[in-house]
C-alpha cells in the first residue's frame, strides 16, 4: 500500500494461491477471504467506493522469481449490480506490466456460472492481482 507514495486501497490480494478465486457471482459481489491473507474486497464495495469519488487503479504483479511490474490507470469506476458491475471507466495507462485492462472498458463482470459478455469478451478481475 506504500507504492507510489502510498494511500492505496487493496481490492484484491493474492500471493501464494491458498485461496480459491474460482467463485460464483454472489461471492464476488460480497467479497471473500481474510484481509490479513488472500482476499477479494467485493464488487459492491468497489462500486460504492468508485461511485463516491474519483479513483486511480494500480495493478501490481510479481512472479515467483521476484520480477515486478505494474500497470497504473488515472481513472477507475465500476458500475452497480444492475449494470452487472461493468467497468465504466478506465483512464490512461502507464507502467511496466503492459496494458491488460483498457480494452475491457464497458464490459460487464463475469464469474463462475455467469458469463455476461460472452466467452471472449468477459471482464475478470483475476488480472488485478499480485502473485
Amino acid at each position: 500500500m506504500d507504492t507510489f507514495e502510498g494511500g492505496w486501497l487493496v481490492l484484491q490480494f493474492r500471493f501464494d494461491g491458498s485461496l480459491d478465486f474460482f467463485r460464483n457471482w454472489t461471492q464476488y459481489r460480497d467479497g471473500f477471504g481474510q484481509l490479513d491473507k488472500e482476499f477479494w474486497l467485493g464488487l459492491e464495495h468497489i462500486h460504492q467506493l468508485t461511485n463516491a469519488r474519483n479513483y486511480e487503479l494500480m495493478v501490481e504483479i510479481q512472479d515467483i522469481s521476484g520480477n515486478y511490474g505494474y500497470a497504473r490507470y488515472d481513472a477507475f469506476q465500476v458500475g452497480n449490480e444492475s449494470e452487472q458491475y461493468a467497468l465504466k471507466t478506465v483512464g490512461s495507462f502507464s507502467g511496466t506490466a503492459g496494458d491488460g485492462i483498457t480494452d475491457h472498458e464497458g464490459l460487464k463482470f463475469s464469474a463462475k456460472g455467469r458469463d455476461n459478455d460472452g466467452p471472449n469478451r468477459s471482464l475478470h478481475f483475476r488480472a488485478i492481482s499480485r502473485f
Side-chain angles (χ1 to χ4, degrees), residues 39-83:
F39 72 92
W40 167 252
L41 184 63
L43 291 164
E44 187 58 32
H45 296 295
I46 295 168
H47 161 69
Q48 293 293 330
L49 288 165
T50 62
N51 194 50
R53 59 175 281 227
N54 295 327
Y55 277 89
E56 294 181 51
L57 175 67
M58 170 78 69
V59 179
E60 293 184 288
I61 58 172
Q62 184 173 352
D63 67 19
I64 59 174
S65 300
N67 298 309
Y68 170 84
Y70 74 94
R72 188 173 182 173
Y73 301 86
D74 65 5
F76 175 63
Q77 184 181 26
V78 173
N80 62 34
E81 186 168 17
S82 67
E83 298 168 307

Side-chain angles (χ1 to χ4, degrees), residues 3 7 13-14 18-19 39 50 58 77 95 100 102 112:
T3 305
F13 189 60
R14 296 184 75 179
S18 61
L19 184 64
F39 72 92
T50 62
M58 170 78 69
Q77 184 181 26
T102 298
K112 179 173 83 173

